[in-house]
Amino acid sequence: MKSHPQSYIYETLSLYGAYKQVPVQIHLPGLKLKLFPPVVMTASHSDSLVVLFGATAGAYGAKLGSDERELILLVWQVVDLHSKKVGTLHKSLVKADNLDLSDQCREVSALTPEGLSKAEPLDRVLQQFSQLVSSDLKVLGRSSYTLCSDGQLLIRQVLHPETSKKNLLLSDCFYSFYDLRKEFRSCYPSSAAGKDQTIKTMAEYLGLGTDEAEEDFGVWQVKTMVAIIFSMLSEGDHVFTEPETVKHKYETGPCSKSETVDSETVIRARGLPWQSSDQDIARFFKGLNIAKGGVALCLNSQGRRNGEALVRFVNSEQRDLALERHKHHMGSRYIEVYKATGEEFLKIAGGTSNEVAQFLSKENQVIIRMRGLPFTATQEDVLGFLGPECPVTGGKEGLLFVKYPDGRPTGDAFVLFSCEEYAQSALKKHKEILGKRYIELFRSTAAEVQQVLNRYMSTPLIPTLPTPIIPVIPPPYTIATGSVRDCVRLRGLPYTAGIDDILEFMGDATGDIKPHGVHMVLNQQGRPSGDAFIQMKSADKAFMVAQKCHKKMMKDRYVEVFQCSGEEMNFVLMGGTLNRSGLSPPPCKLPCLSPPAYAAFQTAAVIPAEAALYQPQALLPTTRTPQASAAAPPAVTYYPAQAAQLYMNYTAYYPSPPVSPTTVGYIAAPPGAVAAAATATHTPILPQPGALVRMQGLPYNTGMKEILSFFQGYQLQADSILMLYNFNGQPSGKALVTFPSLDLAKKAVAEKNGQLLGSRYVELYLV
C-alpha cells in the first residue's frame, strides 16, 4: 500500500481506458480548505452521480455495519453523466469514538489508530462532504446529484444508524441513492445476482484491467466504480432513473386482520426497554424502511409491554438487513432480532373493530395511552384533565375509551395528538390526579390500541365453558392425596408423546397403574408440557417403576422418573414446582379447585375471573341441605377455560389399564347433554344471606390485617378476605371480601368506596 500524503494527483480511469489527470485531495488535520456554503441537491433524474465508498473500524464487505463499529473512512467523486467528466476524488479519514481497529480492518485498509486520532469527527466530515460536492458540481456546471454506492450497507447499515445514535442530522442526499450492484444487474442481466456482486467481480465481468494493490484503500474502489459506470453508460446505454429510498420518518397506521402479511418481511425484536415506543424502535432500525403501521409492541397477560415487538418491513431485503442488527444496542441494552411470521404480526397488530379503524384513520398522530381512569370518567373529564395546553386531535373524536363487551369501562383510554410537542405536554401529567385516582400516561402505538381492544372485547363476563369433553366410560375417579409416595412423575416427555407412548414406556408396570391414574399435564396454551403423573397401586410399585424407568429413552429423548406422593403431585398440578430441594407452592397459596372435575357455573352468578380459581367454600360458607345435595346434578368433566385459570397447570386425564387405551377416548358431549347440565338445579355459588364485595386499587403491600382495619365495625373475620394475585404470583391490588349479609355489604360500599387505604384510594363493588 502507498503512504497517505496530504495532497497529490491520482489518475482516474476514463471511458475508453485511457488515463486522465485529475486532482485528488486528502482531507487530514492541518489541511486548509476553501469552503463553500452547503447546498443540498437531489433529483429523481439527476445529471450527476456522487460515487461513494466507506469503511468502518470493524467488519468489511458483506458484513459491513453488522458489528456496530463506527465509520473511519469516506471516499467520493462526482461523475457528470452527460459529459462523462469527473470531479476531484476526495478521501477523508473519520475520527471514531473507539479507535480500536479490528484485525480485518488493519489488514485491508492499512489504517492505524494513531492516524485516525488526528482526523476530523463525523459531523465535520459530513459538512466537508456537502461543501466539496457543491464546489465540484459548480466546476462541472451541474446542479443536481444522487449518491451511488457499492450495495446498500454503507448508507443503510452504517451512516444512518451511526448518525442517529450520535444525534447528527443527515442531509437529504443520503435518503436517495443508487445501488451500483442492482444497476449493474439491470444493465447486464447475465451477470451474477446483486448480493453476490463485488466491485472486483463487476470489473472482471467488464474486462477492466485494474490492480487493487497499486492504489490506496478506498481510492481504487471509487475509481473502479467510476469506470464501471462509464462502461454501463457507453455499452449498455444505461439510464439511472429509479434510486433506492430511505424513509425519513416512520408512518403510523392501522392494520386489518384481513390483510396478507408476507412472513419474509417480519422480525421479532426482544429485550426492548419497557418504556420504548414505536418511534424508538423505528430509530433502532434507522436506514431500513418499515411498512406503514409496521411496529407492533407486544403486551403480556396483564396488558403491559413485555419487552418484545414485531416489526414489518416493506420487503424481504429490508428484513434481511434488519436481522444483521441482532444484538445491536438501544441505549445500554442489546436487542435480539429474530425471524417472525406474518401470522404472528397480524395476531398482535390486526384488528376488526370499525371504531378502532376510524380512530386510527387519522394518520401521523402521536398516540398516548391513559390508564387508571375512574370508571365514571367522561370525555369532558379527560379533555379537562389534559387542559388547553394539550389539545386533542378532533376534540372528543380523538378519544377512545376501552370497554368490556357489556359496555363497562376498563379505566383505559387512548388519545390522539397532532404533534410531538402536545404529546410531551400530556406526558408531563403522568400520575396527576383525576377525581380520586392518579392517572398513568404512556406513549402508545396503533398496534397496542388493537391489542388492548382485542383483549378486552374478547374477555367474557364470567369464565365461559368450552364444549364439555366427557369420557366414553365415565366412572368417577379422584386424585390421590396424602404423603404416601405411591405416585411417579415423568419429566422430559417428547411433546408428541401420547398415552400409548407412556404405556409402552412403562412396560410390564402398566398393570400396576390405578384406574384413571395417568395424568398428562398441559401448559396454559393447552399444549403438552413434557410432564405426566402416574398413580401406582402402592408405594413399592412406584419405587420399582422409578428405579427401572429413570432416564430410559422415549423416542429421541430420555425421560426422568421420580417417585412422589399424591400431595406433591397435587402441588405441581396446581402450578407449583417439585424439585430436589422440596416443594415450591403455586403463586397463590389459598385453596384451589381440584383438577379432575369442575362444576359448571350457574348462569345467574357473576363471579370475577380471579375468583374462579378458588373453591366456593373459600368465598362464602355454604350450608347444604340434604335435599340440595340429593338434587345436585352429575358433574360434567371438561377442560377448564383459560380465562378461569391463573396458576393451575392444565391436566388431561386418561383411563388406564386394565381398560385398553386404544378403545377408550374422549368425545365432545352432545349439545343436549350440555343444555341439560346447564339447566339442572345447582347449589348456588353465592348462597344467601352472604354477599361478596370486590376491592380494587389496594396498595401492593396490603395484607388481611390492613383490610380488617379498613372495615372495622363490619363484623368481618380473617377468613372472610381473599387476596387476589396476578399471573406472576404478585399481589394484583384486588381482593374479595365476604360480608355476613347483603345489606351490610351495600352499606360498606356506600360508606367506604373511594376512601384511602394507605396511600391509595380504594374502589368497592358489589359482586
Side-chain angles (χ1 to χ4, degrees), residues 219-374:
V219 174
W220 176 87
Q221 282 81 358
V222 170
K223 289 169 61 177
T224 306
M225 289 167 69
V226 171
I228 292 170
I229 291 171
F230 282 159
S231 294
M232 292 167 60
L233 294 173
S234 167
E235 301 171 11
D237 296 326
H238 187 70
V239 180
F240 291 84
T241 57
E242 297 182 5
E244 299 286 318
T245 58
V246 179
K247 287 188 176 182
H248 283 73
K249 183 181 178 182
Y250 166 67
E251 298 177 275
T252 61
C255 175
S256 171
K257 284 189 181 294
S258 61
E259 287 187 35
T260 300
V261 177
D262 184 0
S263 293
E264 295 301 312
T265 64
V266 183
I267 62 95
R268 179 183 294 273
R270 182 178 297 165
L272 299 165
W274 68 268
Q275 70 272 29
S276 337
S277 67
D278 54 349
Q279 297 296 338
D280 295 324
I281 295 169
R283 187 176 183 183
F284 175 79
F285 289 109
K286 185 69 174 177
L288 306 181
N289 293 339
I290 298 174
K292 183 177 179 180
V295 177
L297 295 165
C298 302
L299 307 181
N300 62 16
S301 52
Q302 286 82 47
R304 300 177 185 270
R305 296 171 188 170
N306 64 3
E308 294 189 6
L310 292 168
V311 185
R312 177 189 180 188
F313 294 90
V314 295
N315 55 42
S316 59
E317 182 182 33
Q318 304 287 303
R319 193 282 304 266
D320 292 341
L321 291 175
L323 292 172
E324 292 295 327
R325 299 197 187 182
H326 179 59
K327 293 199 173 180
H328 282 205
H329 287 77
M330 181 184 287
S332 60
R333 304 186 64 167
Y334 72 81
I335 309 301
E336 301 173 43
V337 182
Y338 304 99
K339 291 182 180 180
T341 66
E343 182 181 354
E344 290 175 304
F345 182 83
L346 286 176
K347 184 177 180 181
I348 297 298
T352 56
S353 169
N354 292 331
E355 182 183 14
V356 176
Q358 184 177 357
F359 176 76
L360 297 175
S361 63
K362 303 176 181 66
E363 298 181 357
N364 298 321
Q365 300 289 309
V366 183
I367 306 175
I368 298 296
R369 180 179 179 183
M370 302 181 71
R371 192 165 62 198
L373 292 169

Side-chain angles (χ1 to χ4, degrees), residues 314-579:
V314 295
N315 55 42
S316 59
E317 182 182 33
Q318 304 287 303
R319 193 282 304 266
D320 292 341
L321 291 175
L323 292 172
E324 292 295 327
R325 299 197 187 182
H326 179 59
K327 293 199 173 180
H328 282 205
H329 287 77
M330 181 184 287
S332 60
R333 304 186 64 167
Y334 72 81
I335 309 301
E336 301 173 43
V337 182
Y338 304 99
K339 291 182 180 180
T341 66
E343 182 181 354
E344 290 175 304
F345 182 83
L346 286 176
K347 184 177 180 181
I348 297 298
T352 56
S353 169
N354 292 331
E355 182 183 14
V356 176
Q358 184 177 357
F359 176 76
L360 297 175
S361 63
K362 303 176 181 66
E363 298 181 357
N364 298 321
Q365 300 289 309
V366 183
I367 306 175
I368 298 296
R369 180 179 179 183
M370 302 181 71
R371 192 165 62 198
L373 292 169
F375 297 140
T376 57
T378 63
Q379 292 177 324
E380 290 77 9
D381 294 332
V382 174
L383 292 174
F385 173 79
L386 294 170
E389 66 275 17
C390 311
V392 176
T393 301
K396 294 181 180 180
E397 293 181 0
L399 296 176
L400 178 65
F401 286 92
V402 183
K403 299 179 180 180
Y404 289 107
D406 63 346
R408 289 182 299 118
T410 64
D412 280 29
F414 292 94
V415 189
L416 295 179
F417 295 98
S418 60
C419 66
E420 187 67 30
E421 180 184 357
Y422 294 156
Q424 288 290 349
S425 299
L427 291 172
K428 292 178 182 177
K429 297 181 178 290
H430 180 59
K431 292 196 174 181
E432 288 190 8
I433 299 296
L434 174 59
K436 295 182 179 180
R437 304 194 62 174
Y438 71 82
I439 310 302
E440 299 174 290
L441 289 94
F442 307 95
R443 286 182 174 276
S444 189
T445 68
E448 185 171 12
V449 176
Q450 298 280 23
Q451 282 185 84
V452 173
L453 266 293
N454 290 344
R455 183 185 304 275
Y456 279 113
M457 290 306 293
S458 62
T459 302
L461 299 181
I462 60 172
T464 56
L465 306 186
T467 302
I469 297 178
I470 59 174
V472 174
I473 300 178
Y477 55 90
T478 58
I479 289 273
T481 58
S483 58
V484 178
R485 300 174 63 81
D486 57 354
C487 303
V488 292
R489 178 184 185 182
L490 277 60
R491 188 170 66 187
L493 295 169
Y495 295 130
T496 57
I499 181 65
D500 293 312
D501 299 307
I502 290 181
L503 296 180
E504 182 180 352
F505 176 81
M506 297 285 289
D508 297 337
T510 55
D512 298 321
I513 301 175
K514 286 184 178 180
H516 309 287
V518 180
H519 312 287
M520 298 284 289
V521 181
L522 310 180
N523 62 22
Q524 295 215 359
Q525 286 72 46
R527 298 170 182 160
S529 67
D531 278 25
F533 284 92
I534 301 176
Q535 293 175 257
M536 307 302 292
K537 292 182 176 179
S538 67
D540 292 339
K541 301 294 185 184
F543 175 80
M544 293 300 296
V545 169
Q547 293 295 315
K548 180 180 178 181
C549 298
H550 184 56
K551 293 194 175 180
K552 180 179 172 183
M553 295 295 294
M554 180 185 294
K555 297 184 178 179
D556 58 342
R557 300 186 65 173
Y558 73 82
V559 178
E560 299 174 287
V561 182
F562 306 98
Q563 186 180 8
C564 66
S565 66
E567 179 185 12
E568 292 169 335
M569 178 175 65
N570 273 322
F571 261 80
V572 176
L573 295 181
M574 294 299 159
T577 57
L578 175 61
N579 48 47

Side-chain angles (χ1 to χ4, degrees), residues 465-470 598-604 631-638 669-683:
L465 306 186
T467 302
I469 297 178
I470 59 174
Y598 301 80
F601 291 117
Q602 185 180 8
T603 55
V636 177
T637 304
Y638 66 94
V674 179
T679 56
T681 304
H682 287 65
T683 301

Side-chain angles (χ1 to χ4, degrees), residues 688-740:
Q688 297 298 323
L692 272 178
V693 170
R694 177 190 177 107
M695 303 184 71
Q696 188 166 306
L698 297 169
Y700 293 123
N701 59 353
T702 301
M704 293 187 182
K705 181 179 178 181
E706 287 76 17
I707 294 178
L708 286 172
S709 177
F710 181 78
F711 286 116
Q712 187 174 4
Y714 285 88
Q715 307 171 23
L716 297 182
Q717 303 296 325
D719 58 3
S720 303
I721 300 168
L722 189 63
M723 306 297 298
L724 302 179
Y725 297 80
N726 62 24
F727 281 86
N728 300 320
Q730 299 169 337
S732 65
K734 303 173 185 177
L736 295 173
V737 182
T738 305
F739 283 81

Side-chain angles (χ1 to χ4, degrees), residues 47-118:
D47 47 25
S48 300
L49 297 179
V50 175
V51 178
L52 186 67
F53 177 83
T56 69
Y60 174 69
K63 288 295 183 179
L64 183 70
S66 62
D67 52 5
E68 281 190 289
R69 298 305 302 273
E70 296 170 274
L71 190 73
I72 59 170
L73 174 69
L74 271 183
V75 186
W76 69 92
Q77 187 172 33
V78 177
V79 177
D80 187 334
L81 296 177
H82 298 288
S83 67
K84 312 297 191 297
K85 294 180 181 179
V86 294
T88 303
L89 193 153
H90 303 274
K91 177 177 179 178
S92 285
L93 300 182
V94 184
K95 182 180 180 180
D97 295 337
N98 181 5
L99 294 176
D100 183 19
L101 307 182
S102 69
D103 293 339
Q104 184 185 26
C105 176
R106 290 173 183 269
E107 180 181 352
V108 172
S109 69
L111 296 175
T112 63
E114 293 75 18
L116 291 172
S117 65
K118 301 175 183 178

